[in-house]
Amino acid sequence: MQHSIFASMRSLKIMDGCKGTQVYAINPSSATGGGIGEKLLQQLHDHIKSHTLRTKSVRNLQPPNMTTPSEVFVSDGSLLPYGLPMTDLLEPKIEPSLVSVDFVETLAGVYRRTEDRHQFDRSEVYLEQCAVFRGLADPKLFRRSLRAARQHAVNVHAKVVLSAWLRYERREDELIGSSSMDCSGRNLECPRTTLVPGYDPELVFDSCACTRARAGNGDNDNDDAMAIVVDEQCSTSEEEEEDGDMSFCVGDDEIKCNRFNIASLSRPFKIMLYGGFIESTREKINFSRNCFSVEALRAAEVFSRRKRLSHLEPKVILELLSLANRFCCEEMKNACDAHLASLVCDIDDALLLVEYGLEETAYLLVAACLQVFLRELPGSMQSLSVVKIFCSPEGRDRLALAGHASFVLYYFLSQIAMEEEMRSNTTVMLLERLVECAKDGWEKQVAFHLLGVVMLERKEYKDAQYWFQAAVDAGHVYSLVGVARAKYKRGHTYSAYKLMNSLISDHKPVGWMYQERSLYCVGKEKLMDLMSATELDPTLSFPYKFRAVSFLEENKIGPAIAEINKIIGFKVSPDCLELRAWFLIAMEDYEGALRDVRAILTLDPNYMMFYGHMHGDQLVELLQPFVQQWSQADCWIQLYDRWSSVDDIGSLAVVHQMLAKDPGKSLLCFRQSLLLLRLNCPKSAMRSLRLARNHSTSDHERLVYEGWILYDTGYREEALAKAEESISIRRSFEAYFLKAYALADSNLDSESSKYVICLLEEALRCPLDGLRKGQALNNLGSVYVDCDKLDLAADCYMNALNIKHTRAHQGLARVYHLKNLRKAAYDEMTKLIEKARSNASAYEKRSEYCDRDMAKSDLSMASQLDPLRTYPYRYRAAGESHMSGSIIPCFLLIIHDGNLVREGNCSCDCNLQAIFVFQILSVAFV
């Protein structure tokens, strides 16, 4: 309730802050008092007024002296009911992960520790590597380290947690009809394999236990049935043939036993039956007061002779487990534990059996129950019983007694909780348990830092400062940002400034240091810090957003949009698109605003606009009446035009509009996934691909989308199998294209290249539209170039250009270059630059076809449009090195076109850290 109060007060404060005079000066139509803009704004005003009144009536939190909603939002000549964004309300987020001052040094240190450890002891180091990679934009590195941690895990607990985490990380490709206990043949995620202790170096290559079980399912069923019959027959015959020399009595029932066999079960039984106790002299021992049934004692007697469990009801085995635990019968306890663990199949089983497992400290049974809970996350956390086990101190103690309380468990749980709701009490409790489990070093750093982030989000600034300082004391320098922010929130702005100033002085400057210091200064000093932050780290979005809003406050809306466009050009994110949409509404460019809102909803379907007050879908409804309405045919034309002009955000918006009219169209979902991959949004792309598969209307179509899912998650051979199965049902362009694409993603020899060419030619013979045909022709031309068939390649590129596949200019330029026609190649790339909206790569490529000065100009433009492109920096660095006569560093670590490239030769000693980083990163892109 406390946080709801704060949220309400904060939102009212934001609205109150939007009444400044700079908001109204932008409105060009306020003097006329009419027009489309005023109608739209009136609808926005009505929405926010009803929302605020509803919030007031439900929560009843507004103080008597606070301005009413009408006073906040209604003003003569108001352009936007929500007001426009203000610099005072902008604030960069603190990353909820480990952030290094020197990433290369940190990564090299982790790699060294990995190499120093034995194979059996590397899992924890790989988990540290996961924490290092967690804050990076590329999830492939994190998933690779997570797979390595799982592969090297030895104990069952770590296997259970890491397997569930792997599954959770690829949750976007979960398909309708799949079970949480499915592993799809992935041995690292197999629920059966996780319950087997020990290290298996061939784990990645072997088929999983589930696959083997399915392969021999029929035979196994018959074998199991025969085994049960034989088991019962043997048990009966042995019971009849063997006479016991003692008996356990429960009421009127008597269970004949062999004294020696029972004594062999445990030391307590041995002392009781052969020691100085009275039972050692008796033939009949009264067991009535021990609360065990006749069935349990009879099962114990059978186990004492056969050393394995016969076919028993689960309730009898549970009782036998309790008996084994009380009398320290380890062998019998382990047998009961393993049998009960094999019975856990779903959440209901797990909820029923976990209490027994915790009570009797049954390691495998608790592991099996945990496995179900973890593989059902986040849904399983809706159960109060599960929350109590994971979150409470008592629950952690019980898990610890059973051998299942660990840092990796609570690290996984806290990550999910923070994604679901960062400010919840559940998140705080899980992080508190994480702190309790953390050991010195990076574990304490990340645990303290995460708790500080959550406390800051909850506006508990004193606690936040305490935990951030604890992380700093543990060695995490980045947590000083949290200390400074907490001090700033508590009113100690100058103290925060001094802290960040000292940080910059004591360490090699990093972009986030200047970004944070900018919060605590004003005027030119603030802008200079933000400029330094951008120069050191162009991916930081806050400096662009601040500069854009600053322009807006100066009534310079054109420069504001130009500034935010700088980062949208190479890093698409919902918050930046929202800001641009906000500006475009102010300009009454409703078509552009609607485009951006639709793109936002594609990236995040639940995104809330305007400080979290309005769902994106509601804004779409408000904007639609004021833009031209397109039929589905019009949308296809618009999509074709935007696709041809390499306008991926515009294409994304058109596809979103088409899906709104036809939500079950799998082809459109697939196109959406392609666009999202181009925009480097793999998570959203996988969600669209999953929707495409789930909406597919035929088996051959479903198989193709499943194949793409497998390919995008790194399972190339399985993707090829899906493509071949689809082709066997029906020949289609997508099936052939998938097969060709997957085969081409390797070092092709001449024979393989010929086969890929045949596949693409078959694909082009199938029915298809111009968008995909252009892509296929472009790919075919690329393979022809690799095979040195330049004339055929040129024909493919020309045919692609004839159907407006603009990207084919680049392929045709490459052909001209290989034919020593540099001027023609340069002109071809110039055509691409003139046509494409996103043309950083075109400038980069054109630089290869011109003289040095023009190349430097093109590369400068490429860096300006997309600072993340590595080639321009490499080119300039090599040029400077050549001009100065210095030696190029041995290892230039770059990620280019999805591959790690090693370049440069010299006679100097190689930098050890660079070698380590090269080795560790190269694995990620194999």
Side-chain angles (χ1 to χ4, degrees):
M1 180 62 71
Q2 181 184 11
H3 313 304
S4 299
I5 293 172
F6 288 155
S8 178
M9 292 175 67
R10 181 180 57 181
S11 63
L12 288 172
K13 181 179 179 183
I14 288 172
M15 295 305 107
D16 191 56
C18 292
K19 295 191 295 181
T21 55
Q22 75 274 14
V23 172
Y24 315 129
I26 262 182
N27 187 2
S29 60
S30 59
T32 62
I36 291 175
E38 209 171 310
K39 296 177 183 178
L40 171 63
L41 298 174
Q42 183 60 42
Q43 293 188 50
L44 286 168
H45 160 69
D46 294 341
H47 168 81
I48 187 55
K49 183 176 179 181
S50 63
H51 175 82
T52 308
L53 290 173
R54 182 169 61 252
T55 303
K56 177 184 174 185
S57 63
V58 172
R59 298 181 180 175
N60 195 25
L61 300 176
Q62 183 170 317
N65 61 344
M66 187 171 288
T67 55
T68 63
S70 61
E71 291 173 338
V72 173
F73 300 118
V74 176
S75 179
D76 293 338
S78 174
L79 177 64
L80 288 172
Y82 286 106
L84 291 172
M86 302 173 63
T87 53
D88 291 342
L89 303 177
L90 294 177
E91 192 174 273
K93 73 170 186 174
I94 296 177
E95 292 296 329
S97 57
L98 290 179
V99 177
S100 304
V101 176
D102 188 336
F103 177 75
V104 173
E105 182 180 356
T106 300
L107 194 59
V110 175
Y111 185 80
R112 271 193 223 99
R113 288 193 290 278
T114 303
E115 290 298 298
D116 292 342
R117 298 287 186 96
H118 192 274
Q119 288 280 0
F120 301 152
D121 196 28
R122 291 184 178 179
S123 185
E124 289 186 3
V125 185
Y126 281 119
L127 186 64
E128 180 183 357
Q129 199 177 86
C130 290
V132 174
F133 286 140
R134 187 68 178 177
L136 299 183
D138 190 351
K140 291 183 292 185
L141 295 171
F142 174 80
R143 286 197 295 264
R144 180 189 60 77
S145 296
L146 195 61
R147 283 195 297 269
R150 165 64 187 92
Q151 183 182 355
H152 289 84
V154 177
N155 64 72
V156 169
H157 172 77
K159 290 183 177 184
V160 165
V161 177
L162 293 169
S163 292
W165 201 340
L166 276 173
R167 180 179 177 81
Y168 182 78
E169 282 298 316
R170 62 177 190 85
R171 63 195 179 280
E172 294 296 343
D173 68 349
E174 290 303 315
L175 307 177
I176 289 177
S178 65
S179 165
S180 63
M181 300 303 283
D182 289 342
C183 61
S184 302
R186 299 174 178 89
N187 211 346
L188 293 177
E189 299 175 30
C190 177
R192 295 191 182 190
T193 304
T194 57
L195 296 179
V196 179
Y199 170 68
D200 182 3
E202 300 299 323
L203 186 66
V204 179
F205 310 105
D206 292 343
S207 59
C208 74
C210 299
T211 305
R212 294 194 297 270
R214 283 192 296 269
N217 190 40
D219 295 337
N220 287 345
D221 290 343
N222 294 333
D223 292 344
D224 291 343
M226 288 297 295
I228 291 171
V229 172
V230 172
D231 186 41
E232 291 177 342
Q233 289 175 348
C234 293
S235 176
T236 303
S237 62
E238 288 185 26
E239 287 173 9
E240 290 176 351
E241 291 176 1
E242 185 169 352
D243 294 326
D245 54 1
M246 59 160 288
S247 301
F248 285 121
C249 299
V250 179
D252 296 332
D253 294 303
E254 185 176 329
I255 300 97
K256 284 281 187 181
C257 301
N258 181 284
R259 185 179 296 269
F260 177 81
N261 291 340
I262 296 296
S264 68
L265 290 175
S266 70
R267 184 172 178 79
F269 270 128
K270 182 178 181 180
I271 293 173
M272 181 180 72
L273 297 177
Y274 285 106
F277 292 92
I278 193 172
E279 286 83 2
S280 62
T281 60
R282 290 185 175 179
E283 293 185 1
K284 293 184 179 181
I285 300 173
N286 189 353
F287 233 66
S288 299
R289 294 185 180 182
N290 286 292
C291 302
F292 293 113
S293 67
V294 175
E295 290 81 3
L297 287 171
R298 185 168 288 121
E301 188 278 326
V302 173
F303 186 87
S304 72
R305 289 186 284 105
R306 306 181 58 200
K307 301 302 180 183
R308 65 176 184 271
L309 296 174
S310 58
H311 185 62
L312 300 171
E313 292 292 326
K315 63 179 182 180
V316 176
I317 297 181
L318 284 169
E319 196 174 357
L320 190 61
L321 173 65
S322 180
L323 185 149
N325 212 29
R326 185 181 300 185
F327 290 93
C328 304
C329 306
E330 288 300 321
E331 187 178 6
M332 188 162 69
K333 178 182 178 179
N334 292 338
C336 294
D337 191 9
H339 184 85
L340 290 170
S342 68
L343 300 179
V344 181
C345 298
D346 53 37
I347 193 75
D348 295 329
D349 295 337
L351 288 171
L352 179 66
L353 292 172
V354 70
E355 284 299 325
Y356 289 100
L358 291 172
E359 186 68 26
E360 303 298 339
T361 62
Y363 182 74
L364 283 179
L365 177 56
V366 174
C369 295
L370 280 183
Q371 178 163 250
V372 174
F373 296 150
L374 297 178
R375 292 168 76 97
E376 290 280 356
L377 286 171
S380 59
M381 290 299 283
Q382 302 301 316
S383 168
L384 293 178
S385 299
V386 177
V387 172
K388 183 178 179 182
I389 291 170
F390 286 141
C391 296
S392 67
E394 297 79 13
R396 191 198 76 87
D397 291 341
R398 296 180 73 194
L399 286 171
L401 287 173
H404 289 286
S406 69
F407 179 85
V408 64
L409 171 65
Y410 285 102
Y411 190 28
F412 175 36
L413 291 171
S414 62
Q415 290 294 311
I416 296 176
M418 291 178 71
E419 287 182 19
E420 290 295 304
E421 176 50 61
M422 186 174 286
R423 290 174 291 183
S424 70
N425 291 332
T426 298
T427 303
V428 173
M429 289 188 288
L430 288 171
L431 287 171
E432 289 172 344
R433 305 292 82 76
L434 181 69
V435 168
E436 293 168 359
C437 293
K439 295 180 289 188
D440 289 337
W442 75 272
E443 291 185 3
K444 284 193 180 294
Q445 291 177 22
V446 72
F448 294 153
H449 181 75
L450 291 178
L451 199 46
V453 169
V454 170
M455 290 302 178
L456 190 71
E457 190 73 17
R458 288 163 63 97
K459 298 180 173 54
E460 298 176 22
Y461 301 126
K462 188 174 181 180
D463 288 341
Q465 183 176 334
Y466 170 82
W467 289 113
F468 280 129
Q469 187 61 55
V472 173
D473 294 340
H476 191 226
V477 176
Y478 176 72
S479 292
L480 282 171
V481 170
V483 177
R485 192 76 62 89
K487 286 184 175 184
Y488 171 65
K489 295 293 185 180
R490 298 177 68 191
H492 307 306
T493 304
Y494 183 61
S495 178
Y497 176 83
K498 285 199 304 180
L499 183 61
M500 294 312 301
N501 206 42
S502 175
L503 179 64
I504 292 173
S505 301
D506 295 343
H507 295 84
K508 180 181 178 181
V510 185
W512 52 261
M513 296 180 185
Y514 286 98
Q515 174 179 270
E516 188 65 24
R517 192 175 70 174
S518 71
L519 293 179
Y520 316 128
C521 50
V522 295
K524 292 183 178 179
E525 187 179 357
K526 178 187 284 284
L527 293 176
M528 288 175 62
D529 273 356
L530 290 174
M531 188 61 67
S532 297
T534 299
E535 289 174 357
L536 291 168
D537 186 355
T539 65
L540 296 173
S541 62
F542 173 74
Y544 299 94
K545 293 164 67 176
F546 186 91
R547 288 190 290 264
V549 176
S550 296
F551 282 129
L552 184 70
E553 291 177 340
E554 297 172 2
N555 299 333
K556 299 176 181 177
I557 196 166
I561 293 177
E563 182 64 28
I564 202 66
N565 279 344
K566 290 179 182 178
I567 190 169
I568 291 176
F570 65 90
K571 182 184 177 184
V572 177
S573 62
D575 59 328
C576 292
L577 285 172
E578 178 194 13
L579 205 57
R580 188 169 72 175
W582 214 327
F583 297 159
L584 292 170
I585 291 174
M587 290 183 65
E588 297 190 1
D589 181 0
Y590 303 122
E591 185 173 338
L594 184 58
R595 171 205 62 206
D596 285 349
V597 176
R598 288 190 180 281
I600 290 169
L601 291 173
T602 306
L603 295 170
D604 183 358
N606 299 315
Y607 195 81
M608 300 293 290
M609 305 283 293
F610 305 138
Y611 302 118
H613 281 86
M614 180 185 290
H615 194 281
D617 285 331
Q618 293 174 293
L619 186 56
V620 168
E621 293 176 7
L622 292 172
L623 289 169
Q624 275 185 325
F626 307 111
V627 298
Q628 182 181 357
Q629 298 299 305
W630 296 334
S631 66
Q632 204 75 337
D634 295 329
C635 286
W636 276 110
I637 295 173
Q638 293 292 332
L639 177 61
Y640 200 92
D641 289 342
R642 283 160 174 76
W643 198 291
S644 299
S645 62
V646 199
D647 178 13
D648 293 332
I649 293 178
S651 300
L652 206 59
V654 175
V655 172
H656 183 272
Q657 183 175 352
M658 296 170 78
L659 282 169
K661 297 179 180 180
D662 190 2
K665 191 73 170 178
S666 59
L667 176 62
L668 292 174
C669 293
F670 180 59
R671 293 287 165 78
Q672 192 178 71
S673 72
L674 295 176
L675 289 165
L676 288 164
L677 282 176
R678 285 182 188 169
L679 293 169
N680 196 27
C681 302
K683 189 175 179 180
S684 299
M686 189 56 67
R687 181 175 60 242
S688 296
L689 198 50
R690 181 187 65 179
L691 287 172
R693 184 270 182 193
N694 289 341
H695 290 309
S696 57
T697 57
S698 61
D699 287 341
H700 77 273
E701 186 181 23
R702 173 182 54 81
L703 288 166
V704 168
Y705 298 141
E706 288 178 358
W708 279 114
I709 289 172
L710 288 166
Y711 177 80
D712 287 344
T713 50
Y715 295 93
R716 178 173 165 274
E717 297 300 326
E718 291 86 340
L720 285 170
K722 291 287 184 181
E724 290 170 356
E725 186 178 354
S726 178
I727 292 171
S728 68
I729 298 174
R730 179 180 171 181
R731 295 174 67 256
S732 68
F733 168 82
E734 293 297 351
Y736 279 115
F737 189 82
L738 169 61
K739 187 174 181 180
Y741 198 93
L743 284 173
D745 187 22
S746 61
N747 295 322
L748 294 177
D749 54 27
S750 58
E751 291 300 319
S752 299
S753 297
K754 291 178 181 178
Y755 185 47
V756 170
I757 289 171
C758 291
L759 290 171
L760 288 171
E761 289 173 343
E762 284 295 322
L764 288 166
R765 293 189 187 100
C766 298
L768 73 162
D769 58 60
L771 295 176
R772 292 298 270 164
K773 184 176 182 179
Q775 190 170 354
L777 286 168
N778 199 54
N779 285 39
L780 182 57
S782 178
V783 180
Y784 276 138
V785 170
D786 292 339
C787 296
D788 203 28
K789 299 179 179 180
L790 300 183
D791 291 335
L792 291 174
D795 290 341
C796 285
Y797 292 129
M798 292 299 296
N799 289 333
L801 289 171
N802 289 337
I803 54 176
K804 300 178 69 174
H805 188 79
T806 307
R807 287 178 173 85
H809 282 298
Q810 183 168 323
L812 190 56
R814 183 185 175 196
V815 170
Y816 289 147
H817 175 64
L818 292 173
K819 290 184 174 182
N820 293 320
L821 302 172
R822 288 174 60 84
K823 179 64 168 59
Y826 180 89
D827 292 341
E828 203 65 37
M829 292 308 300
T830 302
K831 294 177 184 177
L832 176 58
I833 290 171
E834 292 170 350
K835 294 179 182 179
R837 289 281 188 90
S838 304
N839 50 22
S841 63
Y843 278 106
E844 179 182 287
K845 198 67 180 175
R846 191 176 71 171
S847 69
E848 299 179 21
Y849 310 135
C850 54
D851 60 42
R852 183 180 180 83
D853 291 337
M854 295 177 68
K856 290 174 68 175
S857 176
D858 276 354
L859 291 176
S860 177
M861 180 60 71
S863 291
Q864 182 179 334
L865 294 172
D866 184 355
L868 301 184
R869 303 194 72 85
T870 59
Y871 175 75
Y873 301 101
R874 293 161 51 212
Y875 180 91
R876 288 189 289 264
E880 290 296 327
S881 175
H882 176 73
M883 293 295 292
S884 63
S886 61
I887 299 175
I888 300 175
C890 296
F891 289 91
L892 297 176
L893 301 177
I894 56 154
I895 298 172
H896 183 63
D897 293 334
N899 296 304
L900 193 73
V901 182
R902 175 180 174 182
E903 295 187 350
N905 295 302
C906 70
S907 58
C908 65
D909 293 334
C910 298
N911 183 287
L912 187 59
Q913 288 184 355
I915 297 174
F916 281 145
V917 176
F918 176 81
Q919 290 174 327
I920 196 169
L921 289 180
S922 61
V923 183
F925 299 97
V926 172

